Amino acid sequence: MSDKPAKSRGFFSAFRRSAEPAVEAATPATAADAAPAAVTPETTPPETPAEIPPEIPPEIPAEPAPKLGWFQRLKAGLTKTSAKLSQDIAGLFTKRKLDADTLQELEDLLIQADLGVETAARISAALSKGRFDREIATDDVRAVLAAEVERALAPVAKPLHIAGEHKPHVILVTGVNGTGKTTTIGKLAHRLRREGRTVTLAAGDTFRAAAIEQLKIWGARTGAEVVARNTGADAAGLAFDALKLAREKKSDVLLIDTAGRLQNKQALMDELEKVIRVLRKLDPTAPHQVLLVLDATTGQNALNQVEIFKDRAGVTGLVMTKLDGTARGGILVAISAKFGLPVHAIGIGEGIEDLAAFDAGEFARAIALS
């Protein structure tokens, strides 16, 4: 059976999470280990019981800690959001009727959890139906919360689709400093290569030597060709050369890294627009997708990032990274409600497999029911 899915399928649509590692079989004993030691009673005097050393039990190797599944890791990554919500909801609804004041307090705490005004109001309205002026269990509140969060996220949970009509399919990856753009590109390249696609990487973050070297390492790990220049080289010119080479090599996908830039720095945003203009000299339809990588620990500032990058670079989809114990994952709900941009994937950790398709139901359960 071929390990190359049909290219018509969307990226991540056939994603399978890695199975648990198999336990290695114990090393078989050698013949020498199994054979009894020879004893010659005539020449070896019997030992007295006091001289017989106590039997030392064989050392039992410690069992490796079980590897957590993806959902367990996601729950752990959203601990900060889920624990705060659970604690606040329990404190709010213990032995208290559902009245107007309680609903207002609930909306306030949901907004403080970065879920956004629109989602908070919808959760409050859903909760009040048939329950007003009655006592309500915290589990019921959390169930409604999970259902409404999933409802908000379901429309934007979409695989990254690589269309077949463009060769190469150009993906521009943007975001502010420290969001994990280069690492995300490496993980995307890995997934694309596993699908059987040829990939070219462009080291467009020419401001940082470390970013260039990092992308070269990812290229070596994934078998993708890397186009790079010296630190300080013109990013737009590099992108042009990378697209030209990718076309000559008939690459399926070109992933272009960009320098991390604050969304309020005019000159840097102008340069990003220049990269796009230069790409269109070779291919008027490029880039075919513009991904914005968001840091899940950012909170409310992520809303502003999405707005600016969407206006200046034409963002078509989102990837959220750094879903660890400090993550403020509720902000993804507010972003989805406000902008409706597809959320293609989420990242947990730095490993090559630590990127998965975004699942609205899993995300909602991890926030509300953990």
Side-chain angles (χ1 to χ4, degrees), residues 336-360:
S336 299
K338 182 173 182 179
F339 298 104
L341 286 168
V343 181
H344 298 306
I346 54 175
I348 303 174
E350 298 295 321
I352 198 167
E353 298 285 351
D354 293 335
L355 189 74
F358 178 64
D359 185 300

Side-chain angles (χ1 to χ4, degrees), residues 141-277:
V141 178
R142 293 170 65 188
V144 171
L145 172 60
E148 290 302 321
V149 168
E150 182 174 1
R151 178 184 168 192
L153 294 176
V156 301
K158 298 178 181 178
L160 181 61
H161 181 64
I162 306 297
E165 61 266 25
H166 303 294
K167 198 176 182 75
H169 185 95
V170 181
I171 302 175
L172 188 68
V173 183
T174 64
V176 303
N177 289 308
T179 57
K181 293 185 306 302
T182 306
T183 300
T184 296
I185 287 173
K187 295 174 184 178
L188 289 174
H190 171 65
R191 293 293 176 195
L192 290 164
R193 293 288 293 141
R194 281 182 54 178
E195 289 183 357
R197 303 178 192 271
T198 53
V199 179
T200 299
L201 307 179
D205 186 355
T206 56
F207 288 98
R208 294 191 307 123
I212 298 172
E213 293 306 312
Q214 186 182 7
L215 203 66
K216 288 179 179 178
I217 292 171
W218 277 111
R221 292 179 70 184
T222 61
E225 185 157 1
V226 179
V227 179
R229 299 287 182 268
N230 293 330
T231 307
D234 178 59
L238 182 140
F240 182 91
D241 292 343
L243 177 53
K244 185 177 180 181
L245 178 66
R247 293 176 73 173
E248 293 171 354
K249 297 280 187 178
K250 301 187 184 304
S251 291
D252 294 314
V253 181
L254 170 62
L255 287 162
I256 304 176
D257 195 6
T258 60
R261 60 199 74 232
L262 295 174
Q263 69 273 19
N264 58 354
K265 297 296 184 183
Q266 182 68 31
L268 292 176
M269 296 304 292
D270 288 345
E271 184 188 71
L272 184 60
E273 291 178 337
K274 178 183 175 184
V275 169
I276 295 172
R277 288 197 307 272

Side-chain angles (χ1 to χ4, degrees), residues 11-363:
F11 181 45
F12 286 129
S13 61
F15 177 79
R16 292 179 175 84
R17 284 147 194 171
S18 300
E20 302 298 333
V23 178
E24 293 184 3
T27 305
T30 63
D33 293 333
V39 179
T40 53
E42 296 79 10
T43 58
T44 305
E47 295 177 326
T48 64
E51 294 174 322
I52 297 175
E55 183 178 354
I56 301 175
E59 183 178 349
I60 301 175
E63 292 186 6
K67 185 177 180 180
L68 294 178
W70 180 265
F71 182 65
Q72 284 70 34
R73 295 177 66 198
L74 179 60
K75 280 174 37 177
L78 291 169
T79 296
K80 182 174 181 178
T81 299
S82 61
K84 182 73 164 58
L85 278 172
S86 296
Q87 180 181 347
D88 290 346
I89 288 172
L92 182 60
F93 286 93
T94 301
K95 296 181 180 179
R96 184 172 175 181
K97 289 185 178 181
L98 187 65
D99 55 21
D101 290 340
T102 309
L103 288 172
Q104 184 58 58
E105 289 182 50
L106 174 64
E107 285 192 37
D108 290 343
L109 71 86
L110 294 174
I111 292 169
Q112 290 169 14
D114 295 324
L115 293 175
V117 174
E118 182 179 334
T119 302
R122 192 168 60 243
I123 292 169
S124 177
L127 195 61
S128 65
K129 291 178 181 177
R131 303 180 181 90
F132 199 78
D133 204 28
R134 299 179 185 177
E135 287 190 6
I136 183 170
T138 56
D139 286 348
D140 291 337
V141 178
R142 293 170 65 188
V144 171
L145 172 60
E148 290 302 321
V149 168
E150 182 174 1
R151 178 184 168 192
L153 294 176
V156 301
K158 298 178 181 178
L160 181 61
H161 181 64
I162 306 297
E165 61 266 25
H166 303 294
K167 198 176 182 75
H169 185 95
V170 181
I171 302 175
L172 188 68
V173 183
T174 64
V176 303
N177 289 308
T179 57
K181 293 185 306 302
T182 306
T183 300
T184 296
I185 287 173
K187 295 174 184 178
L188 289 174
H190 171 65
R191 293 293 176 195
L192 290 164
R193 293 288 293 141
R194 281 182 54 178
E195 289 183 357
R197 303 178 192 271
T198 53
V199 179
T200 299
L201 307 179
D205 186 355
T206 56
F207 288 98
R208 294 191 307 123
I212 298 172
E213 293 306 312
Q214 186 182 7
L215 203 66
K216 288 179 179 178
I217 292 171
W218 277 111
R221 292 179 70 184
T222 61
E225 185 157 1
V226 179
V227 179
R229 299 287 182 268
N230 293 330
T231 307
D234 178 59
L238 182 140
F240 182 91
D241 292 343
L243 177 53
K244 185 177 180 181
L245 178 66
R247 293 176 73 173
E248 293 171 354
K249 297 280 187 178
K250 301 187 184 304
S251 291
D252 294 314
V253 181
L254 170 62
L255 287 162
I256 304 176
D257 195 6
T258 60
R261 60 199 74 232
L262 295 174
Q263 69 273 19
N264 58 354
K265 297 296 184 183
Q266 182 68 31
L268 292 176
M269 296 304 292
D270 288 345
E271 184 188 71
L272 184 60
E273 291 178 337
K274 178 183 175 184
V275 169
I276 295 172
R277 288 197 307 272
V278 168
L279 287 172
R280 288 175 178 167
K281 291 181 179 180
L282 277 178
D283 183 350
T285 65
H288 307 113
Q289 285 171 304
V290 179
L291 301 185
L292 175 62
V293 180
L294 296 170
D295 181 340
T297 65
T298 302
Q300 288 292 319
N301 190 40
L303 281 165
N304 184 246
Q305 291 175 25
V306 175
E307 186 167 10
I308 299 299
F309 279 93
K310 182 174 179 291
D311 290 343
R312 300 294 298 271
V315 171
T316 61
L318 307 174
V319 175
M320 178 163 274
T321 64
K322 302 188 180 180
L323 281 161
D324 55 31
T326 62
R328 297 168 64 180
I331 195 61
L332 191 57
V333 182
I335 290 170
S336 299
K338 182 173 182 179
F339 298 104
L341 286 168
V343 181
H344 298 306
I346 54 175
I348 303 174
E350 298 295 321
I352 198 167
E353 298 285 351
D354 293 335
L355 189 74
F358 178 64
D359 185 300
E362 283 187 346
F363 198 87

